[in-house]
Every structure is written in structure tokens, then in C-alpha cells.
Amino acid sequence: MPTIFTRIIEGELPGRFLWRDDVCVVFLSINPLQTGHALVVPRAEVDHWVDLSPEINTHLMEVAQVIATAQMKAFSPTRVGLMIAGLEVPHVHIHLVPMNDLHDLDFANADTNPDATQLDETAVLLRESLRDAGATSVSD
């Protein structure tokens, strides 16, 4: 049975995509810890990040760096936190969270009912930031 992330990638479920390439996608979290919280997800269904091939792992980190740079430009946080928790969905995903404080990474603070308009505006802002930086795999 496909994971929820595979269903989003395949278009069965909606997602606010920022990036798409042959190896991975990036979309906004539906339960953001902070504005701009994005997930870098490989197309391949791999449960645990230690089981990723070195090539996919490297690619995910390279894409994460591009996305985090766009998040820094768009939101001016102190840092962008990167986490691989992996307990909530059995499909590798990297959380990229614009943050100003360590508490900004606390899943207990996730917005379980985010404003759809704000998510749409956030996606547009991040796509613009990516395009301005010359990224070529920006989603529409």
C-alpha cells in the first residue's frame, strides 16, 4: 500500500509543491511548525533514512540546502532547522523549518489547522525565492 507521501507525489492527494525532480519532491507541511515548514521527500518509498542509497541521500541534502537558502531569503529566520524524525510516516522525509528558537522545532507546537490562504501565499513566496536564486526544478 502506498504511503501518504507517495499518494501526494502521484497527485492522489493535494500538496503545495515547491520542487519536483526525478529523485525527490518538496512540499509544504500540512501541520507546519513554523511558516515555511517544508518536507523534502524522495520519490522512492524508503522507510528509514539509513537505507537510502548514497546517491539519493546526497541529492536530498543538496535539495534541502537549496530550499533552506530560499527559506532564509523569504522569512529571514535565525536558522533553518533540519530534522529527520521518521516516526509519523514510513517514508523518508526531511523537515526544513525556519526557526528563531529551539522551541520552534517542537512537534507539540504544530499547527493542526493552518490557514489555506497563508499556505498558498507561503508556497508562492518560496517558489519566487527559488526562481530568483536560479533553481531549475521549481514546481508550478
Side-chain angles (χ1 to χ4, degrees):
M1 181 170 165
T3 69
I4 191 167
F5 289 155
T6 295
R7 294 178 66 205
I8 292 169
I9 292 166
E10 293 177 354
E12 292 177 34
L13 296 173
R16 288 172 178 85
F17 288 87
L18 308 174
W19 178 282
R20 294 178 200 248
D21 66 30
D22 292 341
V23 177
C24 71
V25 300
V26 180
F27 49 83
L28 292 179
S29 173
I30 60 168
N31 296 121
L33 299 179
Q34 297 294 316
T35 300
H37 178 178
L39 304 176
V40 181
V41 183
R43 290 181 180 274
E45 280 189 7
V46 176
D47 181 18
H48 196 288
W49 69 271
V50 299
D51 296 324
L52 289 170
S53 71
E55 296 80 18
I56 291 176
N57 189 43
T58 298
H59 184 77
L60 295 179
M61 286 299 157
E62 289 171 349
V63 171
Q65 204 167 18
V66 171
I67 300 298
T69 301
Q71 290 169 315
M72 290 294 296
K73 180 181 177 196
F75 306 112
S76 300
T78 303
R79 300 212 185 243
V80 173
L82 181 149
M83 290 185 294
I84 303 174
L87 296 174
E88 61 278 15
V89 177
H91 190 145
V92 172
H93 54 289
I94 300 170
H95 294 266
L96 297 175
V97 182
M99 59 182 278
N100 294 305
D101 185 272
L102 188 58
H103 292 81
D104 292 342
L105 298 177
D106 187 344
F107 283 101
N109 297 327
D111 186 348
T112 58
N113 191 26
D115 179 80
T117 301
Q118 183 181 6
L119 288 173
D120 291 339
E121 290 170 357
T122 297
V124 168
L125 184 62
L126 283 169
R127 286 185 205 116
E128 288 173 0
S129 183
L130 286 163
R131 285 187 187 101
D132 288 348
T136 58
S137 295
V138 181
S139 186
D140 291 323

